[in-house]
Amino acid sequence: MKASDWQVYGQTLSSRLFIGTALYPSPKVMIDAIKASQAEVITVSLRRQTSADKQSGGQFWQMIEQLNCHLLPNTAGCYSVKEAVNTAHMARELFDTDWVKLEVLGDSYNLQPDPFALVEATKILIEDGFKVFPYCTDDLVLCQKLAELGCEVLMPWGAPIGTGQGLLNPYALKTLRERLPDMTLLVDAGIGKPSDAVQALELGFDGILLNTAIAEALEPETMAYAFADAINAGRLAYEAGVMPKRDNAKPSTPTLDQPIWQQHA
Amino acid sequence: MTSNLMLHIKLNGELTELGKEQTVSEFVNEQDFNGRFVIVINDELMPKSRWQDVVIHDGDRIDIVSPISGG
């Protein structure tokens, strides 16, 4: 059984996985893993050419074109509003999309987003006609501000980028889900294994954005299959309604008409 | 109006000489860039729609920006 379709900035999607295109051991492994993941959105980036890779942009472009996925360019490595806004404009021209995964980093140790710069850059880019997917922390007030600015999607971290630590603060993520019930929420960053993704989807998150967990698996293609199944399972569980936890045991087998000698006080 | 004076620019961070003053469009044809790219001049995105009108000046910093993998 397949979980329900969903919408991202008016685009109907079937898969709830956004997947990155970096860190794979080879282009072929990347293509195979992305296909296995069934992702319909892939993240890409941009950089100044060097003399050594004058043609690399063309090769990479040919590879991702054959995947026929929606492109989500990022502003990775930007530490200021100006850098991020300029990069977003370059990405729009380069990839011919108004979607942008907005990263404005504030700390080089844990690659934590700068919430203040993120809000400022989001405001500018929305005014410039972009559909912003902000990579943010799990701070409720920050997320509320981003929603007020007009973001239809928010992408709080589960843990710092590339750490594979899973959901370090499920309480904060659960709070976001409860306080922003109509917002499309993806966990972006920190997912290490399929069960982390299941946990996020069971909390009611709409999707997952990941890269390293698949690209750096021993067998990326197999791990991509695992994530596709996990994400579908997590969403189905959320849609089915998870039972509440109880402190006291409750028998699952009916006790009515049980033979008298088996009853206990 | 363009002139035949030699220009010194920085192309992708490297000092480069251009034989004459030229538009961005002429520059792109001359350099024979491959693949998908955008042009950034002095940190400002140069949309394709302006390539024919904008003239490259001595000292300009020109960056060719291309797609790469990203997470």
Side-chain angles (χ1 to χ4, degrees), chain A residues 110 135 156-169 187-191:
Chain A
N110 63 356
Y135 166 57
W157 65 355
I161 296 171
T163 61
Q165 298 268 349
L167 309 187
L168 289 180
N169 193 346
V187 169
D188 177 3
I191 297 291

Side-chain angles (χ1 to χ4, degrees), chain A:
Chain A
M1 185 177 176
K2 191 84 178 67
S4 60
D5 288 351
W6 61 311
Q7 293 229 327
V8 177
Y9 282 114
Q11 187 69 53
T12 301
L13 299 174
S14 176
S15 167
R16 291 172 179 270
L17 173 60
F18 290 11
I19 189 168
T21 53
L23 302 172
Y24 297 87
S26 74
K28 183 182 182 312
V29 172
M30 177 191 80
I31 296 290
D32 291 345
I34 292 173
K35 285 180 178 170
S37 77
Q38 299 170 41
E40 296 160 292
V41 177
I42 58 175
T43 54
V44 289
S45 197
L46 61 164
R47 76 162 177 208
R48 185 174 78 179
Q49 284 186 356
T50 62
S51 52
D53 61 5
K54 198 174 173 183
Q55 296 190 17
S56 64
Q59 290 161 359
F60 176 69
W61 180 251
Q62 285 165 11
M63 281 189 289
I64 59 172
E65 258 193 323
Q66 67 174 272
L67 291 166
N68 202 24
C69 289
H70 299 283
L71 301 182
L72 179 57
N74 68 29
T75 61
C78 292
Y79 278 83
S80 71
V81 173
K82 189 180 173 192
E83 279 177 335
V85 169
N86 285 346
T87 303
H89 279 272
M90 290 177 210
R92 180 162 67 179
E93 179 90 358
L94 184 60
F95 295 106
D96 196 24
T97 177
D98 51 11
W99 286 12
V100 62
K101 174 184 164 179
L102 182 60
E103 290 185 43
V104 194
L105 301 178
D107 187 277
S108 60
Y109 178 74
N110 63 356
L111 302 179
Q112 179 169 336
D114 177 340
F116 311 102
L118 183 64
V119 166
E120 201 179 329
T122 298
K123 188 169 187 296
I124 293 168
L125 290 174
I126 287 177
E127 284 171 359
D128 289 346
F130 283 86
K131 294 182 170 64
V132 179
F133 296 65
Y135 166 57
C136 54
T137 56
D138 52 21
D139 183 277
L140 172 62
V141 178
L142 166 64
C143 288
Q144 287 172 326
K145 295 283 180 205
L146 292 168
E148 285 168 15
L149 289 175
C151 291
E152 293 182 19
V153 179
L154 299 177
M155 305 203 299
W157 65 355
I161 296 171
T163 61
Q165 298 268 349
L167 309 187
L168 289 180
N169 193 346
Y171 171 80
L173 297 174
K174 196 175 168 198
T175 304
L176 289 179
R177 181 67 293 166
E178 287 172 0
R179 298 291 291 141
L180 298 165
D182 300 322
M183 175 61 68
T184 298
L185 295 172
L186 285 85
V187 169
D188 177 3
I191 297 291
K193 55 190 185 302
S195 57
D196 300 330
V198 173
Q199 186 185 7
L201 272 291
E202 284 176 349
L203 285 175
F205 271 65
D206 299 280
I208 298 287
L209 195 163
L210 61 80
N211 190 156
T212 314
I214 288 178
E216 293 194 350
L218 287 177
E219 295 181 24
E221 185 182 2
T222 306
M223 187 59 82
Y225 281 117
F227 268 104
D229 286 348
I231 287 168
N232 190 55
R235 181 63 192 185
L236 280 176
Y238 177 72
E239 290 175 4
V242 177
M243 65 161 279
K245 282 187 180 177
R246 299 188 185 98
D247 288 332
N248 299 322
K250 184 183 166 197
S252 50
T253 303
T255 53
L256 198 65
D257 295 331
Q258 204 174 26
I260 191 74
W261 60 86
Q262 287 187 13
Q263 289 190 1
H264 303 278

Side-chain angles (χ1 to χ4, degrees), chain B residues 8-36:
Chain B
H8 296 87
I9 62 164
K10 267 200 169 177
L11 176 59
N12 293 329
E14 294 179 5
L15 271 176
T16 305
E17 287 184 347
L18 297 184
K20 61 179 177 61
E21 205 170 74
Q22 54 195 271
T23 64
V24 176
S25 195
E26 289 166 338
F27 169 75
V28 169
N29 289 335
E30 192 174 284
Q31 294 289 324
D32 192 26
F33 297 119
N34 290 303
R36 199 172 176 98

Side-chain angles (χ1 to χ4, degrees), chain B:
Chain B
M1 190 78 178
T2 57
S3 77
N4 288 326
L5 288 174
M6 181 82 83
L7 299 183
H8 296 87
I9 62 164
K10 267 200 169 177
L11 176 59
N12 293 329
E14 294 179 5
L15 271 176
T16 305
E17 287 184 347
L18 297 184
K20 61 179 177 61
E21 205 170 74
Q22 54 195 271
T23 64
V24 176
S25 195
E26 289 166 338
F27 169 75
V28 169
N29 289 335
E30 192 174 284
Q31 294 289 324
D32 192 26
F33 297 119
N34 290 303
R36 199 172 176 98
F37 62 89
V38 293
I39 293 190
V40 177
I41 301 182
N42 302 326
D43 298 326
E44 187 190 336
L45 174 66
M46 186 57 55
K48 211 166 190 174
S49 56
R50 294 180 58 200
W51 285 7
Q52 289 211 325
D53 303 324
V54 173
V55 174
I56 294 169
H57 297 106
D58 192 47
D60 277 349
R61 286 177 289 109
I62 301 179
D63 293 314
I64 311 302
V65 176
S66 295
I68 60 162
S69 58

